[in-house]
Amino acid sequence: MPSTLTIAIDGPAGAGKGTLARRLADYYHLPHLDTGLTYRAVAQMLLAKGWPLGDAPHAVEAARMVDLGRLDKATLSAHAVGEAASKVAVIAEVRKILVDKQRAFARQPGGAVLDGRDIGTVVCPDAAVKLYVTASAEVRARRRLAEIEAKDGTGDFATILADILRRDERDMGRADSPLKPAADAHLLDTSEMSIEAAFLAARAIVDDAMAKRDAI
């Protein structure tokens, strides 16, 4: 493998980009950052202190306090925190602060794997490999419902689907860094793929990109 390998993975909620990013990071022995957790960390701070989610000054203060080495995925994975994060993410100054932190993570010796909504377009536009992982909204809703039921919870498919569509609209419609594939991203639709099949497809893309780069 080359001395530096940065993999940027983008896509909507529930497409499988997080699982794929972790698998690729393990396989290539690279550090991994779920950038969505950085926005969730800001949202969680605001919720904990009872501050309005649209309160830009307090959101900026929280963003400055985010420590990428202390992101508790278990705590930050709560549904309410995710909903709040999607609203906090539209604050331009919050995005600027967190993007700077994310770029610093990506500059680690050897590279890194980052997944989120604007990695290939904004955070790491020069990444060696860019993947845009997607799946139909219906498939993503079914996956979310299966996750809930696997934890002995209950959910309603229609409600989950509506929630996913709302998040997609917010993420794709925001003026600052909207969710979209980078012009040179490899598209990977996981609608009909198992986790293993998606990983093998992604790994083939990475290996091919690296072989072409090394041949130059």
Side-chain angles (χ1 to χ4, degrees):
M1 295 303 297
S3 58
T4 300
L5 172 59
T6 302
I7 302 174
I9 305 178
D10 293 304
K17 65 181 181 297
T19 300
L20 203 53
R22 289 189 293 274
R23 290 285 302 271
L24 290 172
D26 286 343
Y27 182 80
Y28 294 108
H29 305 294
L30 294 170
H32 165 242
L33 175 64
D34 174 352
T35 61
L37 293 182
T38 65
Y39 293 96
R40 284 172 175 259
V42 173
Q44 197 273 337
M45 288 185 202
L46 294 177
L47 291 172
K49 294 179 180 294
W51 291 336
L53 296 176
D55 185 340
H58 281 121
V60 167
E61 179 183 345
R64 289 180 177 139
M65 294 170 61
V66 169
D67 180 352
L68 270 55
R70 298 175 62 85
L71 298 174
D72 184 350
K73 183 176 176 62
T75 300
L76 299 177
S77 292
H79 179 71
V81 176
E83 278 294 291
S86 188
K87 297 171 183 176
V88 167
V90 302
I91 301 174
E93 186 60 22
V94 168
R95 298 196 67 81
K96 181 178 183 303
I97 292 168
L98 295 182
V99 165
D100 284 344
K101 293 175 183 282
Q102 294 159 12
R103 284 174 175 161
F105 183 93
R107 288 195 295 268
Q108 293 183 71
V113 179
L114 291 83
D115 72 88
R117 301 288 196 279
D118 61 350
I119 310 305
T121 55
V122 175
V123 180
C124 300
D126 297 323
V129 183
K130 300 177 188 176
L131 297 172
Y132 188 85
V133 183
T134 189
S136 71
E138 290 76 15
V139 166
R140 290 184 282 135
R142 285 197 294 271
R143 289 174 180 171
R144 175 60 183 152
L145 179 59
E147 289 176 0
I148 294 172
E149 293 176 343
K151 297 176 182 177
D152 296 324
T154 58
D156 175 69
F157 175 80
T159 300
I160 295 171
L161 177 59
D163 176 52
I164 282 176
L165 291 173
R166 278 195 302 271
R167 289 188 63 180
D168 285 353
E169 184 177 6
R170 278 201 300 266
D171 290 340
M172 295 177 183
R174 66 187 179 219
D176 187 5
S177 306
L179 169 64
K180 63 179 181 180
D184 55 347
H186 298 269
L187 301 181
L188 187 60
D189 189 327
T190 67
S191 297
E192 304 298 328
M193 289 185 176
S194 65
I195 292 174
E196 187 63 22
F199 167 65
L200 292 174
R203 201 180 81 187
I205 291 170
V206 174
D207 288 346
D208 182 62
M210 292 300 95
K212 289 179 179 176
R213 192 178 78 167
D214 291 349
I216 295 175

